[in-house]
Amino acid sequence: MTVRVRFAPSPTGMFHVGGARSALQNWIYAKQQGGVFVLRIEDTDAARNKPEWTEGILSALDWIGISRGSYEGPYFQSANAGEHRAAAARLYDSGRAYYCDCTREDVQARTGSQYQGYDGYHRDRGLGPGPGHALRFRTPDEGTTVVVDLIRGEPTFENKLIEDFVIARGDGSPVFLLANVVDDMTMGITHVIRAEEHLPNTPKQQLLWEALGVKPPVWAHVPVVVNEKRQKLSKRRDKVALEAYRDEGYLAGAMRNYLMLLGWAPSGDREIVPWSVIEDEFRLDEVNLSSAFFDEKKLRAFNGEYIRALPVAEFIDACQPWLTGTGTIAPPPWQPEEFDADAFAAVAPLAQTRIAVLSEIVPNVDFLFLASPLIDEAAWTKTMKDGSAELLDDAVAAFEALESWDAESLKSTLEAVGAERGLKLGKTQAPVRVAVTGRTVGLPLFESLEVLGRERTLTRIRAARLRLV
């Protein structure tokens, strides 16, 4: 039997990091088993679906390494509507489903509570199809439904506690529960790997599989992804869009690595490991049962490690979207003609050790490409105190006299300027840094001045001195 897994997102918004984790787990499992990964777009929510969301799913999968052409699909759930309706008709004809015209208020009036489930009122009343008549599945009165799960063992559900659930609405359109089952049957899905939030629906789906005469798939419910308050990640509350992390400058490799650690870990005391190790060692039956904490701070640290591990040439290439403002990346504050590729290449190794996400490259190097620096006013106020004007005068005079404009000479010269005033180098260089770069933190100062050049450096220090008049 060929293993066939599926990833079935809905095109109703940005691509959720939890969905990305599920996609990767399915992808790896299929590869390990020599199987097939199927992409199905569940697009039946016409009111919320947008073509750009579908393209966003495909692009996000591309980014994390599940590239187009390497999987089966994408299929679209809406194209299988005829099969959904045919399955509903088979269930009705076989007596496994019946029609009901009860409203929610009707059920509440009979049970006396809005929290009670449907009471089976129309089970044997012989109501036929018609406008406003929903089709309900006839759940067995006795026994249990056992869900064999590769991660959770054998969760058991008493059938008497499962209400006769709706499988087709009053207008005849099948609900998601039935459509999902029929799609999996049609596509020959053998293993369903998904988040544990779907587990409560699994006994209903398994009953549908059995009622339609098909052996259910192998189930595997991975832990839900939560925030620092142990709440399920929410689009309304948390930063969950994979595209947002991509556009901020997280590397695909770092994101893949981190997502796979949400509920699982490789052997040994390791977390940052090559993707080949993850592909080799990942096991569904080793996934933890407890909720997986999505720690953005930890992800950021991961990304910094991945950035520092890049060869410098690859780091320079990776920074290009932020340096040029391509695709979905906002343009930088300089004009294209102001950018100097050689200057950037000179400081790239310094920047690579200091940033955690690629978007941070812009504020670290913008002083090189702007006619004048973008002054952080808070940094100016903090740094430019009594004596700063005279210190800048002395720095200009000392720098003008330099024969060699290199980092070592610049450092020793400014160090001497500070020593005459009884200042350590840190205090001496702070006003110079703000005058030249506009900020109190950034790349190593003297290497930056070397690349910026004598004329531009002196022009900026003089401009800062005039501001202090």
Side-chain angles (χ1 to χ4, degrees):
M1 177 188 71
T2 299
V3 168
R4 291 175 61 83
V5 301
R6 50 81 164 170
F7 177 59
S10 298
T12 56
M14 303 293 275
F15 195 60
H16 197 292
V17 291
R21 181 194 63 163
S22 293
L24 289 170
Q25 290 170 332
N26 276 278
W27 175 255
I28 291 177
Y29 188 76
K31 290 189 68 174
Q32 290 176 338
Q33 303 300 318
V36 177
F37 177 95
V38 178
L39 176 62
R40 182 173 74 233
I41 306 297
E42 299 194 330
D43 62 339
T44 53
D45 188 349
R48 297 174 62 205
N49 295 338
K50 294 181 180 179
E52 55 265 37
W53 295 135
T54 296
E55 177 56 34
I57 291 169
L58 300 179
S59 297
L61 289 175
D62 279 341
W63 182 66
I64 60 171
I66 304 176
S67 57
R68 301 176 217 212
S70 65
Y71 50 79
E72 190 176 302
Y75 298 110
F76 291 86
Q77 188 172 65
S78 57
N80 210 24
E83 288 294 329
H84 304 157
R85 289 180 179 270
R90 290 201 304 275
L91 291 169
Y92 174 69
D93 292 341
S94 66
R96 297 305 303 271
Y98 62 92
Y99 284 99
C100 168
D101 65 358
C102 292
T103 64
R104 186 170 300 175
E105 291 73 21
D106 292 336
V107 175
Q108 182 176 338
R110 284 198 304 273
T111 61
S113 171
Q114 61 178 315
Y115 303 108
Q116 292 279 9
Y118 178 68
D119 57 358
Y121 179 78
H122 274 291
R123 260 193 166 217
D124 301 307
R125 293 180 180 270
L127 184 68
H133 295 187
L135 188 63
R136 288 184 177 272
F137 182 76
R138 190 186 299 271
T139 303
D141 294 319
E142 299 177 349
T144 59
T145 295
V146 179
V147 173
V148 179
D149 191 296
L150 291 179
I151 297 171
R152 301 181 181 278
E154 297 185 356
T156 301
F157 301 84
E158 291 189 63
N159 290 333
K160 67 181 180 180
L161 299 180
I162 304 174
E163 69 174 6
D164 289 354
F165 51 92
V166 173
I167 58 175
R169 303 176 185 86
D171 62 2
S173 60
V175 301
F176 173 78
L177 199 66
L178 177 62
N180 187 269
V181 167
V182 173
D183 289 342
D184 284 346
M185 288 181 181
T186 303
M187 297 173 187
I189 301 303
T190 62
H191 293 67
V192 173
I193 305 167
R194 59 189 183 182
E196 65 175 308
E197 63 196 76
H198 298 287
L199 183 58
N201 281 329
T202 304
K204 298 177 182 179
Q205 292 179 313
Q206 183 158 308
L207 287 169
L208 287 171
W209 278 82
E210 293 167 351
L212 290 167
V214 183
K215 181 181 178 182
V218 177
W219 308 102
H221 289 89
V222 299
V224 69
V225 182
V226 298
N227 62 19
E228 60 185 1
K229 296 181 180 178
R230 297 306 187 267
Q231 301 167 320
K232 178 186 170 185
L233 285 186
S234 165
K235 292 181 179 180
R236 292 182 295 274
R237 182 185 56 237
D238 303 304
K239 181 180 174 182
V240 301
L242 191 71
E243 298 93 328
Y245 288 100
R246 178 193 64 196
D247 293 351
E248 191 176 336
Y250 284 83
L251 299 178
M255 180 61 77
R256 280 198 306 266
N257 189 161
Y258 182 70
L259 289 175
M260 287 302 297
L261 297 182
L262 297 178
W264 175 82
S267 61
D269 188 19
R270 302 178 298 170
E271 290 188 314
I272 297 178
V273 295
W275 184 244
S276 59
V277 171
I278 294 175
E279 286 189 319
D280 182 59
E281 294 191 3
F282 176 70
R283 297 292 182 273
L284 274 176
D285 58 7
E286 294 177 0
V287 172
N288 297 325
L289 295 179
S290 55
S291 299
F293 170 35
F294 186 87
D295 186 345
E296 190 176 342
K297 293 180 180 178
K298 186 172 182 179
L299 171 60
R300 180 181 170 85
F302 261 56
N303 201 65
E305 292 291 332
Y306 269 81
I307 285 176
R308 288 186 283 278
L310 289 174
V312 174
E314 290 186 22
F315 172 72
I316 291 173
D317 287 343
C319 289
Q320 293 308 306
W322 288 268
L323 299 174
T324 59
T326 57
T328 57
I329 307 302
W334 55 81
Q335 296 300 313
E337 62 273 13
E338 295 178 297
F339 180 70
D340 183 336
D342 291 336
F344 178 68
V347 300
L350 305 174
Q352 187 174 2
T353 64
R354 286 165 170 77
I355 66 174
V357 292
L358 294 175
S359 59
E360 292 175 346
I361 195 64
V362 172
N364 272 277
V365 302
D366 59 3
F367 71 95
L368 285 172
F369 313 123
L370 295 169
S372 58
L374 298 173
I375 300 295
D376 179 341
E377 294 300 331
W380 179 277
T381 301
K382 178 180 178 181
T383 305
M384 298 301 188
K385 299 184 180 297
D386 292 343
S388 293
E390 292 76 11
L391 190 152
L392 292 179
D393 285 336
D394 291 349
V396 167
F399 286 165
E400 284 180 326
L402 273 177
E403 293 185 5
S404 177
W405 190 265
D406 60 80
E408 185 176 348
S409 299
L410 289 161
K411 179 181 178 181
S412 60
T413 298
L414 193 60
E415 201 166 23
V417 168
E420 291 181 2
R421 295 174 169 275
L423 298 175
K424 292 184 177 179
L425 181 59
K427 292 287 187 181
T428 307
Q429 70 177 8
V432 175
R433 177 184 289 279
V434 173
V436 174
T437 71
R439 298 179 176 88
T440 55
V441 295
L443 305 185
L445 176 62
F446 302 106
E447 287 81 354
S448 297
L449 299 185
E450 179 180 338
V451 175
L452 187 65
R454 185 192 303 265
E455 182 179 346
R456 295 175 73 193
T457 296
L458 294 176
T459 296
R460 293 183 182 191
I461 297 176
R462 292 187 184 111
R465 173 65 181 85
L466 288 175
R467 185 174 170 179
L468 291 173
V469 172

